[in-house]
Each structure stands twice: as structure tokens, then as C-alpha cells.
Amino acid sequence: MMNFEFNIRKATVQDIEEIIRLRLELFKELGEVQSEQEEACVTTATRKYLEEALSNNEFISFLALSNDKVISVSGMVLFKRPPYLDNLKGLEAYIMNMYTVPQYRGQGLARKLLENCIEECKKIGVKRIWLHASDDGIPLYKKLGFSFKDNEMELFI
């Protein structure tokens, strides 16, 4: 196991290119982007989305950095739906874009980023956090209290 120092911080619009870089690595790993043309389309659309969504806090991301290089990323889309009994404010967060560069995996980075997402949700009044987990992510999400509902996992806070 390698030993390295890292710090975590909330992403800003200045981090868009790094968020896109890791998002593309994730898509390539999942086989969702298979050509340079697809990569260019996703890059352009994601940049446009993030410029707006990061500015108005519809999308919140935390980054793990080592030697000023982004090595892990989390993403969270905030939205408001009509209130219901378990969530009278209707504020929800969808976790996505969790990705750690392969050589840094197994060091607890995803957990730290997810904990930051959950804390941010508590701070801003989100009641329900949900996600679609990869097989690799399921153990982590379970450890942090997420449970299965249909094909999703959720956490009420």
C-alpha cells in the first residue's frame, strides 16, 4: 500500500477541466465513451453544464488532491421535488461521478469525499441522498448507511 498525503476541498469553476478529465476516465473505464468524437461531445456538454451548475450550486463536487494533482472526485446534483412525508422540504441530492485514479484506490479517498458530500447535505438541509452504485461502490455506501431501494441506494439524514 502506498503512503501519500492528500487534502480535500470543494471544487470551484476553476476546477472544471480536472472534473471533466476524471469524468472521462470514469466513462472510459465503464466503456461509455469509445471514440475521440464521443469524448469531444461529452467534454463540450459537460463543460457547459458545469460552468452553470457549479456557479449556482446545483452541482457540488469535492476533490482529493495529492501534490496539487486531482486524484479523486465526487459529484452531487441538488434538486427540489414536491415535498413528501419523509422529506417535507423536498430537497434531495443525487451522488454521481465518484472516481479515484486507479493507483490511489483502496486508500479511503472515496469514503472521505462521500463523507464531505453527506456533511454538505446536512448543512444545506438535504433530507434524501440517493445514487446508483457500481458493484465496487456498494460496500462503501452500505458502510455509510445507504440501503437498497429498487435499483437505487438511498440515505435519509
Side-chain angles (χ1 to χ4, degrees):
M1 207 179 240
M2 77 179 156
N3 214 348
F4 65 96
E5 300 224 350
F6 68 91
N7 65 308
I8 291 180
R9 67 172 172 78
K10 197 172 180 180
T12 68
V13 287
Q14 284 73 42
D15 298 308
I16 287 175
E17 296 309 314
E18 287 298 296
I19 295 169
I20 291 170
R21 179 179 65 81
L22 290 186
R23 184 170 164 80
L24 284 171
E25 284 187 36
L26 171 63
F27 282 170
K28 287 175 185 173
E29 218 171 272
L30 297 173
E32 292 179 18
V33 170
Q34 296 172 349
S35 70
E36 284 182 27
Q37 185 181 3
E38 288 176 350
E39 191 174 318
C41 288
V42 169
T43 298
T44 303
T46 302
R47 185 178 295 115
K48 186 176 190 295
Y49 168 78
L50 288 174
E51 283 168 357
E52 184 179 326
L54 268 174
S55 301
N56 65 18
N57 281 326
E58 277 176 42
F59 183 84
I60 295 173
S61 177
F62 287 92
L63 309 172
L65 295 93
S66 180
N67 298 319
D68 295 322
K69 181 173 170 48
V70 178
I71 56 172
S72 190
V73 66
S74 68
M76 187 165 68
V77 178
L78 299 177
F79 61 96
K80 202 165 196 162
R81 60 186 272 181
Y84 53 100
L85 204 50
D86 289 332
N87 188 355
L88 293 174
K89 283 185 181 174
L91 193 55
E92 295 191 354
Y94 179 73
I95 302 282
M96 58 177 299
N97 232 58
M98 297 288 295
Y99 183 79
T100 300
V101 173
Q103 63 264 35
Y104 294 96
R105 290 180 186 165
Q107 309 287 316
L109 295 171
R111 182 187 184 105
K112 287 271 189 230
L113 292 174
L114 189 57
E115 288 170 345
N116 274 268
C117 288
I118 292 169
E119 282 308 306
E120 184 77 8
C121 284
K122 288 177 180 174
K123 210 163 45 177
I124 59 180
V126 168
K127 188 70 177 152
R128 179 179 182 248
I129 306 171
W130 58 288
L131 54 86
H132 289 92
S134 66
D135 290 343
D136 290 343
I138 290 172
L140 168 63
Y141 300 126
K142 280 185 171 176
K143 273 186 208 151
L144 290 178
F146 285 80
S147 58
F148 281 98
K149 181 183 178 188
D150 303 322
N151 66 341
E152 304 165 352
M153 292 184 84
E154 67 181 3
L155 174 69
F156 281 92
I157 54 178

